[in-house]
Amino acid sequence: MYVAVKGGEKAIDAAHDWLAKERRGDRAVAELSLAQIREQMSLAVNRVMAEGSLFDPDLAALAIKQARGDLIEAIFLIRAYRTTLPRLGASRPVDTGAMRCDRRISATFKDAPGGQVLGPTFDYTHRLAGLQTGGRGGRIRGRVPVCGDATDEAVPKPRITDILGRDGLIQDEPPGEAEPPDMTRAPMDYPAGRALRLQALTRGDEGFLLGMAYSTQRGYGRNHPFVGELRIGTVEVEMEVPELGEAVCVGELTLTECETVNQFAGSKIEPAQFTRGYGLVIGQTERKAISMALVDRALRWEELGEEDSGAPAQDAEFVLGHADNIQATGFLEHIKLPHYVDFQSELELVRRMRAEAAREAAE
Amino acid sequence: MTDAAYNFAYLDEQTKRMIRRAILKGVAIPGYQVPFASREMPMPYGWGTGGVQVTAACLTPADTLKVIDQGADDTTNAVSIRRFFQRTAGVAATERTAEASVIQTRHRIPETPLTEGQILVYQVPIPEPLRFLEPRETETRRMHALEDYGLMHVKLYEDIARNGAISTAYAYPVKVEGRYVMDPSPVPKFDNPKLESPAIQLFGAGREQRIYAIPPYTRVVSLDFEDHPFEASKADHACDLCGAEESYLDEVITDDAGGRIFVCSDTDFCAGRRAGGHRGALAAEDVA
């Protein structure tokens, strides 16, 4: 006698209980506070905000804790929450030229107005696991500059590309008047304009963009980038308030901006000019911003009169269609769900085809 | 009890209106994939977010909801989605096909014939029937616009040339009302004849941002050739529990020595038959 397995409801409840227990871990170890995650896991918090498309460090910290440190799961929590939020309005475009920079470097010029500011970077650390210090890093020597130092703010940091642009050495990016699309409120539409592409890239998966960008460096849609400028810091967010008749600052955002200077385009009529790639990402998210700039540049092949070399990074449908880790992980992981109905239909088909082949062989 | 923190059926009214407009367009153009601004839902893409959004947009407080996955009401994801709507909409739930006004399904069409006024909502992974022949959306949209389905026929022909039969066993392509070629979602081809129905059939693909529909009594033809006609096949057995000859069967492995039995994939249909006194070869007398 056979009785079909039941008890899906009980199994789900038990799994959730077990998950809660595992999330807490050994109760003899103190529980993490959200403030600890926000302050000491700040790059994880930044990634969750960037790919969750929501600037809220406390909420990102909560999501990381709830997700047991699985950042894609945390991003998912943020996205699912974000989509329920009402849209109060749109800000004015932020002015990254007026950014209060924690970090600002250029790889194209030894020095530039505003100077090179290394900021809090891993770049020149020796990657020696801090076995003696328990991961605390070295002792802090002397006075640590903080963001928004009066001395620092006094030095304007004009964009490197603006300096190149003054001499006409780099292609101009005229400001567009059109209202940019909102990919969270309209279905994706191909071919996608650059504003839509940049939107998709900035919330795309860091690992995916890194791989795509890396592929262009290795020759799949090569566009030889120089990091014209990389800057990280805070910008003011302003909104027009009709009642007041002016724009008011409603808050601050930490952003990472990368502008690449790429190989030139030109023709008999137009003299040679460098071209640009652009990356702008929420938080201190340098690897992502540089990757984004390289991929943006690769996707501009048509507009810049280049050839389609068939590289994956040049294919907007391929890149934009697969950059979102929430879509990707959902569809990938759904193959864990039961598929026995579809499998049964194939099983039956294969058996029938094999039976027919056997019968033909016997004849 | 409804969770008061959320709007009825979770989505806000503006979003539901947007989805309803897409549904209406889909009903007006049977088989045509309508792009819609799919939302991020609190369950993963690929787990029925399209179906959930369509169901959310269709539900009223007076509705009775049934949710099935692989034909069964008690599979884990069906349980999860049913709970979601019980929590956020507080609607009545049922396992009985005949009692449901809205049925959300994954991979099956119920065996019990649907009736006028019922809505069947499908969860769709890849809405584009031409996707695995042409990966580019810009291209496939053009092909649909020009009714250029030659590639699909070539694929089916090549199946026959290679395997002696059309080797598509589920998600078998259909032509709707003589115009659009449509993917019926990964239902087994056994279910294809049921696509011509008195009920409204709505298809939601969340990740792919598409909704499409088959209005009641619409002509739905499974693609085939005159010399290789379509056949709605199933395992050549009767249900071992209820004895049904004409229902789609799951194969259940019972031991590691080749033992297997066949049981209805539609759990409500099977339970209903057993309650009506039908018995299969392996049914115990006390199983009801």
Side-chain angles (χ1 to χ4, degrees):
Chain A
M1 194 214 89
Y2 170 78
V3 180
V5 183
K6 291 237 177 207
E9 305 221 6
K10 265 163 57 186
I12 290 175
D13 286 337
H16 290 176
D17 290 346
W18 197 346
L19 174 64
K21 185 163 174 280
E22 287 293 313
R23 178 186 292 124
R24 176 60 183 86
D26 184 350
R27 289 191 169 271
V29 178
E31 187 178 344
L32 266 177
S33 74
L34 298 185
Q36 283 172 328
I37 297 171
R38 186 192 64 221
E39 297 301 317
Q40 296 171 37
M41 294 282 133
S42 54
L43 296 187
V45 167
N46 283 336
R47 181 172 173 196
V48 170
M49 293 194 299
E51 292 170 36
S53 295
L54 187 70
F55 188 83
D56 187 333
D58 291 303
L59 201 61
L62 180 148
I64 290 169
K65 182 172 176 176
Q66 189 177 332
R68 301 177 64 193
D70 178 340
L71 296 189
I72 291 185
E73 183 67 27
I75 291 159
F76 184 13
L77 289 169
I78 296 297
R79 289 272 192 93
Y81 174 70
R82 179 196 197 274
T83 197
T84 66
L85 299 175
R87 300 289 193 272
L88 298 177
S91 74
R92 297 177 60 168
V94 294
D95 179 7
T96 53
M99 180 185 281
R100 290 208 314 280
C101 297
D102 290 355
R103 173 163 166 78
R104 189 271 195 139
I105 54 168
S106 170
T108 49
F109 294 101
K110 181 163 187 181
D111 205 354
Q116 305 259 17
V117 181
L118 276 187
T121 175
F122 289 122
D123 281 358
Y124 305 102
T125 62
H126 295 151
R127 269 61 165 203
L128 303 170
L131 301 177
Q132 309 297 323
T133 60
R136 270 200 297 277
R139 194 186 315 166
I140 297 167
R141 274 166 292 226
R143 190 182 142 276
V144 177
V146 289
C147 171
D149 263 8
T151 50
D152 190 49
E153 237 179 317
V155 185
K157 295 181 175 58
R159 283 201 202 81
I160 303 291
T161 48
D162 288 350
I163 297 169
L164 284 170
R166 263 203 296 279
D167 299 330
L169 288 168
I170 194 161
Q171 42 110 193
D172 200 19
E173 300 284 12
E177 292 301 318
E179 179 142 340
D182 180 350
M183 67 175 293
T184 68
R185 284 294 180 268
M188 186 50 102
D189 194 15
Y190 296 111
R194 191 168 178 225
L196 189 56
R197 296 200 303 256
L198 290 170
Q199 233 172 83
L201 294 179
T202 195
R203 59 160 32 197
D205 182 74
E206 178 176 310
F208 177 83
L209 288 187
L210 172 65
M212 278 291 128
Y214 179 46
S215 73
T216 68
Q217 290 185 288
R218 292 193 64 258
Y220 292 83
R222 187 163 182 269
N223 51 50
H224 199 281
F226 295 103
V227 172
E229 183 172 354
L230 177 75
R231 53 171 66 196
I232 305 175
T234 50
V235 294
E236 291 192 342
V237 180
E238 291 184 329
M239 258 184 92
E240 303 278 0
V241 181
E243 290 86 344
L244 299 177
E246 59 179 338
V248 293
C249 175
V250 293
E252 284 188 339
L253 269 180
T254 305
L255 293 174
T256 301
E257 182 185 55
C258 177
E259 289 196 272
T260 57
V261 177
N262 298 71
Q263 256 169 3
F264 31 84
S267 63
K268 280 206 172 116
I269 323 149
E270 289 196 50
Q273 270 188 324
F274 288 104
T275 59
R276 305 174 192 240
Y278 188 70
L280 184 72
V281 186
I282 286 176
Q284 183 178 343
T285 42
E286 190 167 312
R287 181 186 301 125
K288 169 82 172 281
I290 300 171
S291 301
M292 178 174 165
L294 265 61
V295 176
D296 169 51
R297 178 59 185 78
L299 291 173
R300 301 183 73 184
W301 63 272
E302 208 166 3
E303 157 201 359
L304 296 170
E306 295 170 345
E307 279 196 12
D308 177 6
S309 67
Q314 288 181 311
D315 185 334
E317 275 205 49
F318 180 82
V319 173
L320 304 186
H322 302 105
D324 191 284
N325 53 25
I326 302 307
Q327 293 178 349
T329 202
F331 196 54
L332 180 106
E333 295 196 47
H334 106 280
I335 63 174
K336 293 182 287 191
L337 291 175
H339 283 77
Y340 37 75
V341 163
D342 356 359
F343 182 68
Q344 184 62 40
S345 63
E346 288 214 324
L347 200 56
E348 191 246 325
L349 182 69
V350 170
R351 278 189 184 130
R352 200 142 44 95
M353 291 196 299
R354 287 176 64 86
E356 259 162 48
R359 197 171 50 242
E360 276 167 27
E363 277 165 14
Chain B
M1 246 349 250
T2 320
D3 196 324
Y6 296 102
N7 193 33
F8 176 78
Y10 186 76
L11 294 173
D12 62 276
E13 294 303 317
Q14 285 305 314
T15 300
K16 284 197 266 187
R17 282 183 63 185
M18 175 272 292
I19 295 170
R20 286 176 193 141
R21 278 195 288 266
I23 292 171
L24 289 174
K25 183 166 179 180
V27 170
I29 317 172
Y32 170 75
Q33 300 167 55
V34 184
F36 82 112
S38 175
R39 298 292 192 253
E40 272 128 342
M41 298 301 285
M43 63 261 303
Y45 285 120
W47 298 54
T49 56
V52 166
Q53 289 179 78
V54 169
T55 297
C58 290
L59 278 183
T60 69
D63 273 312
T64 303
L65 178 69
K66 171 181 165 80
V67 183
I68 49 173
D69 185 342
Q70 315 291 303
D73 298 86
D74 61 344
T75 31
T76 41
N77 205 42
V79 169
S80 171
I81 290 170
R82 183 167 55 242
R83 274 189 179 185
F84 176 75
F85 283 116
Q86 285 176 308
R87 181 176 168 189
T88 58
V91 292
T94 183
E95 296 194 0
R96 302 298 312 276
T97 300
E99 287 167 12
S101 54
V102 178
I103 303 172
Q104 180 166 333
T105 181
R106 176 169 171 264
H107 296 190
R108 274 313 310 277
I109 300 174
E111 306 288 359
T112 307
L114 300 177
T115 55
E116 283 183 12
Q118 285 186 306
I119 302 176
L120 183 61
V121 178
Y122 295 75
Q123 302 171 201
V124 181
I126 304 275
E128 178 50 71
L130 306 169
R131 179 61 66 236
F132 300 115
L133 306 174
E134 167 53 60
R136 251 159 252 279
E137 179 68 12
T138 38
E139 272 302 302
T140 52
R141 284 187 82 78
R142 192 191 58 78
M143 290 159 75
H144 282 294
L146 300 177
E147 220 176 328
D148 174 7
Y149 296 127
L151 204 55
M152 179 61 90
H153 289 287
V154 170
K155 189 259 172 203
L156 298 178
Y157 168 76
E158 284 181 349
D159 272 3
I160 294 169
R162 277 203 198 95
N163 303 312
I166 292 173
S167 56
T168 299
Y170 59 89
Y172 191 102
V174 295
K175 196 164 205 182
V176 181
E177 202 61 27
R179 176 59 179 86
Y180 284 98
V181 166
M182 190 198 90
D183 183 330
S185 89
V187 298
K189 65 178 180 177
F190 173 81
D191 281 341
N192 273 25
K194 294 186 224 147
L195 291 163
E196 286 190 352
S197 170
I200 301 177
Q201 298 173 83
L202 305 175
F203 298 77
R207 193 177 39 78
E208 300 280 343
Q209 308 183 318
R210 295 291 183 271
I211 284 172
Y212 51 101
I214 303 177
Y217 303 110
T218 301
R219 191 157 42 90
V220 182
V221 178
S222 301
L223 300 184
D224 63 359
F225 297 102
E226 276 173 21
D227 53 345
H228 281 86
F230 172 82
E231 193 191 347
S233 56
K234 63 181 266 288
D236 197 11
H237 291 268
C239 173
D240 283 321
L241 295 182
C242 77
E245 305 267 354
E246 293 305 321
S247 76
Y248 193 75
L249 301 173
D250 288 340
E251 180 172 336
V252 180
I253 296 172
T254 51
D255 56 39
D256 60 358
R260 56 172 63 96
I261 66 168
F262 290 87
V263 296
C264 289
S265 115
D266 185 332
T267 48
D268 168 59
F269 178 75
C270 194
R273 276 180 55 86
R274 278 177 282 147
H278 296 279
R279 288 289 178 271
L282 297 172
E285 285 309 308
D286 58 338
V287 176

